[in-house]
Amino acid sequence: MSAPVDAPARAPLGRPSSRTRPPLLAIFLYTLRSCIPPRRWAAVIAACAGTVLFGLLARATFRNEASGFANVASEGIFGLMMPIATLIIGDAVLGAEVRAGTFHFSWRSPVSTWQLVVGRWLGGSLVALVTIVPATALSALVAGVPDAAGPALAASAVGSVAYVAIFVAIGCISRRTAVWALAFVFLIERLLGTALTGIAQLSPTWESRAIFVGLVDFDVPDRLIREGIPQGTGAIVRLLVVSVVALVVATWRMGHLRLGGASD
Amino acid sequence: MTTAPTPRGELAPDDPAFAPEATVRVDDVSVWYGQKVALSELSCSFGPGVTGLLGPNGAGKTTLMRSMTGLVPVNQGSILVEGRNPRRDRRVHGRMALVPEDEAVPSGLTARQFVRYIADLHRVDTREAPDAALSTVGLLDVADRRVDGFSKGMRQRTKIAAALVIGPQVLVLDEPLNGADPVQRLHLIDLFKQLGRQGRTVIVSSHVLSEVERLAERVIVLIHGRLAAAGGHRAIRDAMDDRPRHVLVRSTGSRQLASALVVLEGVAGVTVDGPRDGLVVQTLHARQLAVELPRVARDRDVRLLEVRALDDSLESLFRELVR
């Protein structure tokens, strides 16, 4: 062990050194390196595999492949696999770290809270964009509906990004991120969203469906078209607004976090 | 030494609970978790140099440290670090570092990546600072090994490096010597003392008095979330030594020994302890008894089989302090 030396000198506050990475980039890279452990990757990849299997199911079950994939994508992919995959990612990038007692290493820095939130969200979104999003497009190809791959890609990309933002916000509100995220998906979106259009308008599941339905150039079953919800690019805008609102809520809550240890 | 917290807003200049040039001021602070009160109307302050925060488990040391660093909000009162509220003003975190007691470290990162991440967040030059910090705690050789594979002591040192890399003016260390081997302990104690001599405010918690004695010039004792005592460690030690202590003495001649001990100065009473087959000596001067007992035994031709303090745990001493 070396002899004690002076504590390392630091750059004066407000005068960043040219050798530092911008904090937002540092948080983004940290999120990718540290927040998604192998077990989480395995769970996300399992959800991706499930997504591709839904494509096979559409091909095997329905005579009209396009219509069949539209049905399967709406119910199985946008309604089940995408929320599950993004829940695993969204919980990992913040909630799991808060519970593990390691988030304070990031929180206790002069970095503004919006950077902490956006850095995590960008990291989680990138993981979703390289996993569940291509899996959705692959599912369309496997189903034998290549024309649906583009719309599926767009719908799952926007939906995943919105979900990660919502789950990051939930992680800033409660330590039980997974429980509240499941309640959000299955009670609020699936149960209340089915009955109330007002809730469906703010739901990544329903809006992803609307993006997909609005962008495909083939006829989809009437039951997939929901009145009162914007479709196509209108739904994209709606979900982007939902994402921004979720990030604003997360930023506000981030400043009020109570960070106990792992044993608390 | 004090045993009573100063009322809110009244800072007595000669009160040992308050540092003359305070960088961290704790004013009438209470923190509770549901029904459990972790800190109760605590007032004290910390200034340049090393201050030991002493108390048994559950005394509120960790809660105080988490409150100081803004991780836990206070329910009542206020904490100011260099005049700023650590919950509201994020600039505080650029001047203050915490080494938590928790073993938890970010997974998947090497020691160098972890320390560099902290340096990046604090906008510290990352060319040399991370390696200098790791070298200070003796981890440069293993800087490219993953932190989550480290032993407890190595994790602790990695967290200390992550704290040092920002060059903090206020360094809060929660049981920093846990898991460290004797050589590392000496090294870390030297390091903390050196930081204190540089004019930084170093706050070190421990439940081991002897450890704090070696580290800190000034000690603050917490019990049940309240200020129990404050001052130099000698004053704390003397206060503890002057309390009645119970010592079990087992020997080959309890009766002869009892008659000799009872007349010694400082012995308040001697009782026969049947179940333990010995004597229980109540003394006001434990150190004196330790010197006298072998002489008395030799004079009476009695062989001592066992001498053991029955209430020598730190917690029992703390209890005496607040009685």
Side-chain angles (χ1 to χ4, degrees):
Chain A
M1 184 180 286
S2 62
V5 295
D6 289 353
R10 55 158 303 148
L13 277 178
R15 290 178 61 193
S17 158
S18 58
R19 295 283 177 170
T20 59
R21 276 188 289 237
L24 189 63
L25 177 63
I27 295 164
F28 172 72
L29 294 175
Y30 171 87
T31 306
L32 294 178
R33 277 182 183 150
S34 179
C35 292
I36 319 275
R39 216 180 289 176
R40 295 247 176 194
W41 275 111
V44 172
I45 288 167
C48 295
T51 302
V52 176
L53 285 176
F54 270 114
L56 281 175
L57 183 72
R59 184 171 205 150
T61 312
F62 294 91
R63 193 173 298 169
N64 181 334
E65 288 165 342
S67 169
F69 180 71
N71 274 310
V72 164
S74 297
E75 300 297 339
I77 297 176
F78 301 127
L80 188 64
M81 287 303 161
M82 184 178 75
I84 288 173
T86 50
L87 193 158
I88 294 163
I89 297 165
D91 179 48
V93 298
L94 184 72
E97 250 214 318
V98 172
R99 290 195 300 277
T102 53
F103 182 63
H104 68 87
F105 290 112
S106 303
W107 193 89
R108 281 186 301 99
S109 66
V111 174
S112 51
T113 49
W114 75 263
Q115 292 190 79
L116 290 173
V117 168
V118 172
R120 302 271 167 162
W121 170 67
L122 288 174
S125 295
L126 181 64
V127 174
L129 290 173
V130 299
T131 52
I132 190 69
V133 174
T136 309
L138 185 60
S139 179
L141 298 177
V142 167
V145 195
D147 291 349
L153 198 73
S156 60
V158 180
S160 299
V161 162
Y163 263 131
V164 173
I166 289 169
F167 296 146
V168 166
I170 291 174
C172 289
I173 294 168
S174 168
R175 282 173 77 95
R176 298 182 176 181
T177 315
V179 173
W180 284 106
L182 283 170
F184 174 80
V185 171
F186 291 105
L187 295 181
I188 297 177
E189 289 194 287
R190 295 301 291 267
L191 203 65
L192 293 177
T194 303
L196 304 169
T197 306
I199 286 179
Q201 284 183 355
L202 305 173
S203 151
T205 285
W206 289 98
E207 292 289 357
S208 299
R209 239 164 100 156
I211 293 170
F212 177 74
V213 167
L215 293 182
V216 291
D217 54 5
F218 53 79
D219 290 336
V220 297
D222 288 345
R223 70 175 195 84
L224 299 183
I225 300 170
R226 186 159 177 179
E227 295 296 324
I229 293 184
Q231 294 186 352
T233 50
I236 291 176
V237 172
R238 184 66 60 95
L239 271 191
L240 292 178
V241 171
V242 167
S243 303
V244 170
V245 170
L247 293 175
V248 169
V249 170
T251 301
W252 168 63
R253 285 300 309 166
M254 180 69 77
H256 296 81
L257 275 179
R258 187 182 183 120
L259 293 165
S263 55
D264 290 353
Chain B
M1 190 167 78
T2 183
T3 54
T6 305
R8 188 174 190 176
E10 296 172 25
L11 293 180
D14 54 346
D15 189 333
F18 298 94
E21 296 167 27
T23 44
V24 180
R25 272 190 59 175
V26 178
D27 191 10
D28 196 32
V29 163
S30 295
V31 176
W32 52 83
Y33 303 98
Q35 297 291 312
K36 190 189 168 207
V37 177
L39 291 177
S40 178
E41 297 175 346
L42 179 68
S43 292
C44 57
S45 66
F46 302 86
V50 184
T51 304
L53 196 56
L54 192 64
N57 292 329
K61 304 185 296 293
T62 297
T63 299
L64 177 59
M65 292 185 144
R66 288 186 174 274
S67 299
M68 277 180 203
T69 48
L71 297 178
V72 173
V74 300
N75 297 97
Q76 179 193 300
S78 68
I79 294 181
L80 296 177
V81 179
E82 295 183 323
R84 294 183 175 130
N85 181 336
R87 283 292 287 181
R88 295 196 189 130
D89 191 338
R90 295 190 62 75
R91 285 176 295 177
V92 169
H93 303 300
R95 310 261 304 159
M96 184 181 210
L98 166 73
V99 176
E101 186 191 6
D102 279 345
E103 273 189 61
V105 287
S107 61
L109 295 185
T110 66
R112 183 177 277 121
Q113 285 172 336
F114 174 49
V115 177
R116 184 172 180 194
Y117 171 60
I118 301 297
D120 282 334
L121 292 182
H122 289 260
R123 315 219 78 176
V124 174
D125 189 333
T126 51
R127 186 177 45 186
E128 289 167 358
D131 281 3
L134 286 164
S135 171
T136 301
V137 298
L139 286 179
L140 193 55
D141 295 345
V142 290
D144 291 318
R145 273 177 54 193
R146 280 176 53 161
V147 183
D148 47 11
F150 278 178
S151 68
K152 185 177 180 179
M154 289 167 81
R155 285 179 186 211
Q156 200 70 2
R157 283 189 283 152
T158 308
K159 287 185 283 179
I160 292 170
L164 293 179
V165 78
I166 71 168
Q169 194 56 38
V170 180
L171 180 60
V172 182
L173 303 138
D174 194 359
E175 309 267 358
L177 304 180
N178 275 2
D181 65 35
V183 177
Q184 291 161 7
R185 268 171 193 263
L186 285 176
H187 177 78
L188 292 175
I189 286 171
D190 280 349
L191 175 65
F192 301 149
K193 282 178 163 178
Q194 191 186 351
L195 289 167
R197 283 195 295 271
Q198 287 173 3
R200 299 170 203 256
T201 300
V202 181
I203 304 166
V204 186
S205 80
S206 177
H207 57 269
V208 182
L209 178 59
S210 58
E211 199 170 270
V212 172
E213 276 178 338
R214 293 163 66 190
L215 258 171
E217 306 97 54
R218 184 169 163 258
V219 180
I220 285 184
V221 183
L222 292 184
I223 300 174
H224 302 312
R226 288 176 175 274
L227 181 70
H233 58 73
R234 285 181 204 285
I236 305 278
R237 169 63 82 180
D238 289 346
M240 290 178 170
D241 284 346
D242 287 345
R243 305 289 154 178
R245 309 270 283 275
H246 294 82
V247 180
L248 174 71
V249 180
R250 285 183 56 240
S251 66
T252 53
S254 292
R255 283 179 186 278
Q256 300 102 296
L257 205 55
S259 61
L261 289 174
V262 78
V263 297
L264 283 180
E265 192 184 344
V267 172
V270 178
T271 53
V272 176
D273 188 334
R276 291 194 182 99
D277 190 25
L279 302 172
V280 174
V281 183
Q282 190 182 353
T283 177
L284 293 170
H285 304 298
R287 284 184 188 169
Q288 189 182 344
L289 179 68
V291 174
E292 293 283 332
L293 187 58
R295 185 185 58 76
V296 170
R298 193 182 58 233
D299 291 351
R300 296 291 184 282
D301 200 20
V302 171
R303 225 176 102 217
L304 295 174
L305 302 174
E306 182 185 5
V307 179
R308 177 162 57 94
L310 295 176
D311 50 7
D312 204 21
S313 72
L314 197 57
E315 289 187 33
S316 67
L317 290 174
F318 285 143
R319 263 184 243 116
E320 288 292 340
L321 264 179
V322 288
R323 184 173 285 175

